[in-house]
Amino acid sequence: MTAPFDRVLVCDFETAWASKPYVDAQGNQRPHYSITKMTTEEYIRDPRFKAWGMCWKELGDEGQAVWVPRQLLPKFFASIDWSRTAVLAHNAQFDVAIMAWHYGAVPAFIFDSLSMARALHGVEVGNSLKKLADRFELPPKGEAVHSTDGMLDTLPFEVELELADYCRHDVFLCEEIFKRLSVGYPRKELELIDVTLKMFVRPLLELDSDMLKDAIDDERVVREALLAKLGVKEKDLASNDKFARILEALSITPPTKPKKPTKKTPKPVGTLHAFAKTDAMFQAMLNGENETLALLCEARLKVKSTMERTRAQRFYDISTRGTLPVPLNYFGTLSMRWSASKGSSLNMQNLKRGSFLRKSIMAPAGYEVCVTDLSQIEPRVLAYLSDYHEMLDIFRAGKDAYAEFGSVMFNIPGLSKETHPDLRQASKAALLGCGFFLGWASFAQQLLTGFLGAPPVRYDREFAKKLNLRKEHALDFVSGLAGEKRVRRMLEIPHTCTEDELFTHCLCAKRIIDTYRATAAPVVGYWNRLQKLIESSLYGGRVYEHKCLRFEKERIVMPNGMALRYPGLSAEENEEGFLEWTYESGNMRKKLHAGVLAENTTSALARCVMTDGMLRLAKRYPVVLTVHDEVGTLVPDGEIEEGKAWCHAQMTREPKYLPGIPLGADTGAHRRYGLAKA
């Protein structure tokens, strides 16, 4: 590949800030102005923004970086051919956004040592310039920036000299850290960093401010009307204790749940109010026949669930400042997926499908957002890794995988969404969730609160008949020592139904789990292999290759050259006499077993497939967002149909490292992002 640039400039900005409220030059009281208390977008687009200057040097050149003072910055940026110049920075989202938004300079390519460090060292550990300098035994980062706190209008000459030296040292550290991180770093992953950062620094999507304003007003009217109807105040519903007293006044016992163990209190004593949206007992009140109680719970959710209206307000505020920068962390999770940028207060990875927020995101005039979403990619990848050929054949034939799997799972030929909707839904839940060693009790509990975002479900006797459950199955569930443990585990599940109803529900959940495992025997075999590899490879260091995965000491190398990491892996014998494996995750330890590895390897490999397609799309169309397994690009109005077909073909191209895997995708386009796949 020919590099899309002729040289790389290592850059770092120094900007004005104030950590505390202050009085401006006109005598007005102003709030704090600091990147630590504002989002990057807010800070850089604020009218108070001021760059005191920046340092730069060419990557690899000898000598110190050059300081460019504030008054010379416009001339400097105008003198560079940015179409052939790349930029390296530590936290390039910040520095390059300043270049692009204030000086019109969008580099041909963006390197970011912070993104690379997160991928190589993990997202749970610190990857600041200061910590990386310590990690690589480089001269420590300076402290001069603290002397500029509160200087928003002018910068004394002696302070500027000190700040320039501080900035030069940061550029030195950034370059030295990059040299160490870049050894063997995959080219495609560097391209992904560039694509990810350009979604932010080159924001092309627009926001419909009128739609957002109307939605905010409508939500407020509905919420206030509901509170008035019930005769309660917002602060009463927001407080757990006050909400509990409201329920008691209605002769309703407030539901509770045991406290969860934490690192500080591994064996907590006592209970908490079960008022969360994910609590089964709260869901029962919300969806029960007591209308007043249901309205109270609905009002409670509207008061407590501020995420949607907060995000709507944030979207609206952004719309008043300009287009929508999409803030994502490349390699934000252990399985290499994206996450919301830290401090962005905007998670573009969990916008609810069909929501007005998605619909408020628009392509600029003359374009549509073309969205290509890999369909059922994780079940396809898991089937490939486990040699589950029957499932691969279902995908290859383009059939309804959930219905086809259900017909085998429940031995009902011709099962479909129309003939057996409840069994198909159970099959879908099994296919999507049970492939990662999900236990019956966790499955039963998640069903009561809504499995994978679906509405809450409690299996009843009628459904048990459809599963061919009989008396002997019930007796087996409670028999012997294993039965005693199952009953104890069942009673630990928060519930508002009777114990008999909970028993039926759990019996059905276990039947589905057992039937899945019997039907998907190759997946169970894959779990067994992974469990052995924890000890022999991840712990013992024996190198083992399974298809395109390479298992080594404390890591699994993926086909893109990156690795899933399990540092400090060790085992202890649990109360039942089995080895329990854990690894370091920041300052905590997390459990590791076959189900976790199955999920991690499947998710990471699906990410490889998706990002390969994304990079192909970026060669022709600008990538403007990505959510899980979907990629959004801007396609000109004159080539929508051709562009859709091309995008679909690029995303479903068979990877060389997964020969024979059947891929599928849903592709659509619309001016509004939320309607692209409607």
Side-chain angles (χ1 to χ4, degrees):
M1 167 189 155
T2 302
F5 49 85
D6 300 318
R7 61 176 181 163
V8 181
L9 301 187
V10 190
C11 299
D12 183 59
F13 273 92
E14 299 301 334
T15 60
W17 63 294
S19 63
K20 299 175 182 178
Y22 63 95
V23 177
D24 65 17
Q26 289 73 41
N28 300 312
Q29 185 71 33
R30 303 295 301 275
H32 59 75
Y33 175 59
S34 170
I35 191 66
T36 61
K37 299 176 182 178
M38 303 168 70
T39 69
T40 300
E41 182 270 339
E42 284 177 311
Y43 178 81
I44 297 176
R45 282 178 167 171
D46 193 286
R48 295 171 289 180
F49 177 83
K50 193 180 274 86
W52 293 128
M54 65 163 284
C55 277
W56 70 274
K57 71 180 296 291
E58 289 208 23
L59 181 67
D61 280 6
E62 296 294 329
Q64 287 190 328
V66 177
W67 170 257
V68 182
R70 173 174 173 73
Q71 64 272 20
L72 296 182
L73 286 174
K75 184 177 180 180
F76 169 78
F77 284 107
S79 70
I80 305 292
D81 178 6
W82 294 105
S83 69
R84 296 298 304 171
T85 303
V87 163
L88 162 64
H90 193 77
N91 189 14
Q93 186 183 92
F94 177 77
D95 295 280
V96 181
I98 295 172
M99 293 171 51
W101 301 353
H102 284 275
Y103 303 100
V106 178
F109 198 89
I110 306 171
F111 293 94
D112 180 31
S113 50
L114 175 60
S115 294
M116 298 167 70
R118 285 172 176 156
L120 294 177
H121 298 153
V123 296
E124 301 87 0
V125 300
N127 289 294
S128 66
L129 207 60
K130 182 181 186 303
K131 290 191 175 182
L132 288 171
D134 294 342
R135 191 175 301 159
F136 288 121
E137 299 182 345
L138 293 167
K141 181 176 167 61
E143 302 286 341
V145 69
H146 298 294
S147 65
T148 64
D149 187 0
M151 295 181 182
L152 298 175
D153 298 312
T154 59
L155 192 67
F157 179 70
E158 63 276 9
V159 175
E160 182 173 349
L161 289 178
E162 184 183 7
L163 191 63
D165 284 340
Y166 166 85
C167 190
R168 287 189 190 96
H169 186 60
D170 276 3
V171 168
F172 164 78
L173 290 176
C174 178
E175 181 173 12
E176 291 301 313
I177 289 167
F178 176 76
K179 288 177 182 177
R180 289 155 175 76
L181 296 175
S182 60
V183 177
Y185 206 92
R187 174 182 57 82
K188 283 187 177 181
E189 292 298 307
L190 292 173
E191 291 178 12
L192 282 173
I193 293 173
D194 174 67
V195 169
T196 301
L197 289 169
K198 282 179 179 169
M199 294 182 213
F200 186 87
V201 306
R202 185 191 58 188
L204 300 174
L205 293 170
E206 299 176 351
L207 289 166
D208 187 335
S209 57
D210 291 337
M211 173 185 281
L212 291 165
K213 185 69 165 59
D214 289 343
I216 293 168
D217 291 341
D218 290 347
E219 191 278 338
R220 177 181 52 78
V221 169
V222 170
R223 177 165 38 91
E224 289 178 355
L226 188 55
L227 291 171
K229 181 178 181 180
L230 292 167
V232 294
K233 296 179 180 179
E234 188 166 319
K235 63 180 182 180
D236 295 330
L237 294 182
S239 164
N240 284 345
D241 291 337
K242 290 181 180 179
F243 185 62
R245 287 198 288 272
I246 291 173
L247 296 181
E248 289 168 348
L250 296 173
S251 300
I252 296 167
T253 302
T256 59
K257 58 186 176 184
K259 290 182 178 179
K260 287 186 176 181
T262 64
K263 187 177 181 180
K264 290 184 177 180
T265 53
K267 295 182 179 180
V269 177
T271 60
L272 299 170
H273 291 299
F275 293 156
K277 186 179 180 180
T278 53
D279 288 327
M281 291 178 281
F282 183 82
Q283 282 287 337
M285 295 191 298
L286 178 67
N287 297 291
E289 296 179 359
N290 186 326
E291 184 179 353
T292 301
L293 179 58
L295 286 174
L296 275 170
C297 291
E298 182 184 348
R300 157 88 176 183
L301 285 180
K302 287 189 177 296
V303 169
K304 293 291 287 184
S305 301
T306 59
M307 185 176 70
E308 280 295 291
R309 69 173 180 267
T310 300
R311 190 157 22 180
Q313 186 64 54
R314 190 166 293 282
F315 268 35
Y316 176 76
D317 293 341
I318 292 172
S319 75
T320 66
R321 295 188 287 262
T323 50
L324 173 65
V326 176
L328 294 174
N329 273 344
Y330 152 86
F331 222 107
T333 68
L334 182 147
S335 57
M336 309 191 300
R337 295 285 187 161
W338 280 267
S339 66
S341 291
K342 184 179 179 181
S344 66
S345 299
L346 196 65
N347 189 353
M348 297 290 288
Q349 293 288 289
N350 69 348
L351 296 180
K352 188 177 179 181
R353 293 190 183 277
S355 68
F356 73 90
L357 290 175
R358 283 194 178 219
K359 293 173 186 174
S360 72
I361 301 173
M362 301 173 63
Y367 294 86
E368 290 189 5
V369 183
C370 180
V371 177
T372 307
D373 188 3
L374 288 172
S375 56
Q376 302 158 334
I377 179 63
E378 292 199 356
R380 294 171 194 257
V381 168
L382 180 61
Y384 184 90
L385 288 173
S386 60
D387 287 320
Y388 191 3
H389 297 296
E390 293 86 350
M391 179 55 60
L392 291 172
D393 288 340
I394 290 173
F395 285 123
R396 203 168 280 122
K399 297 178 180 179
D400 180 345
Y402 305 134
E404 292 291 323
F405 183 62
S407 67
V408 176
M409 186 174 170
F410 299 118
N411 194 27
I412 303 177
L415 182 148
S416 70
K417 187 175 183 179
E418 291 71 31
T419 60
H420 298 81
D422 47 0
L423 290 179
R424 180 189 178 277
Q425 183 62 32
S427 169
K428 179 179 179 179
L431 194 59
L432 293 178
C434 302
F436 303 136
F437 207 62
L438 185 68
W440 65 266
S442 296
F443 184 45
Q445 184 168 335
Q446 290 180 48
L447 285 166
L448 291 175
T449 56
F451 187 72
L452 296 176
V457 170
R458 178 171 60 78
Y459 295 139
D460 55 18
R461 290 190 176 186
E462 192 64 32
F463 186 75
K465 291 179 182 177
K466 294 179 182 180
L467 296 179
N468 294 317
L469 283 167
R470 296 182 296 277
K471 185 177 181 180
E472 54 265 34
H473 297 114
L475 291 173
D476 181 67
F477 186 91
V478 299
S479 296
L481 291 175
E484 290 179 14
K485 291 180 181 178
R486 281 193 285 266
V487 171
R488 283 200 301 272
R489 182 67 186 90
M490 178 190 78
L491 294 176
E492 290 173 356
I493 297 173
H495 59 282
T496 54
C497 55
T498 66
E499 288 186 8
D500 284 344
E501 290 170 331
L502 180 63
F503 178 74
T504 301
H505 174 71
C506 289
L507 199 62
C508 291
K510 186 175 184 302
R511 176 72 161 185
I512 290 172
I513 294 291
D514 291 344
T515 308
Y516 170 84
R517 294 180 180 182
T519 307
V523 176
V524 176
Y526 182 54
W527 297 341
N528 294 335
R529 175 177 295 179
L530 290 175
Q531 193 63 40
K532 293 176 182 176
L533 287 171
I534 292 176
E535 183 168 1
S536 64
S537 294
L538 298 182
Y539 179 72
R542 180 175 70 93
V543 176
Y544 180 85
E545 293 189 2
H546 175 71
K547 298 185 182 292
C548 57
L549 307 177
R550 189 169 76 251
F551 292 77
E552 300 176 352
K553 177 75 171 178
E554 295 187 348
R555 69 179 200 157
I556 305 171
V557 182
M558 306 302 292
N560 61 355
M562 306 305 287
L564 307 180
R565 300 174 186 277
Y566 304 94
L569 186 65
S570 63
E572 290 184 5
E573 194 172 285
N574 62 19
E575 295 176 355
E576 297 178 354
F578 297 107
L579 282 182
E580 192 170 80
W581 294 92
T582 62
Y583 65 95
E584 295 172 0
S585 178
N587 57 3
M588 297 180 61
R589 295 195 67 84
K590 290 186 177 180
K591 292 182 180 180
L592 184 66
H593 54 75
V596 173
L597 279 188
E599 185 171 11
N600 290 168
T601 53
T602 298
S603 179
L605 198 49
R607 182 269 201 186
C608 292
V609 175
M610 190 273 284
T611 54
D612 281 354
M614 175 191 284
L615 290 178
R616 288 191 289 268
L617 297 186
K619 302 300 182 187
R620 178 171 175 178
Y621 299 122
V623 174
V624 289
L625 54 77
T626 177
V627 179
H628 302 303
D629 299 314
E630 74 177 26
V631 182
T633 59
L634 289 186
V635 176
D637 285 344
E639 53 183 275
I640 298 300
E641 292 307 315
E642 175 196 348
K644 283 165 55 178
W646 184 83
C647 289
H648 188 276
Q650 302 311 309
M651 290 294 288
T652 55
R653 184 192 297 182
E654 180 184 294
K656 292 181 180 180
Y657 48 85
L658 296 176
I661 189 172
L663 298 178
D666 298 319
T667 305
H670 196 278
R671 175 84 193 279
R672 294 185 183 275
Y673 163 57
L675 298 177
K677 295 193 300 174

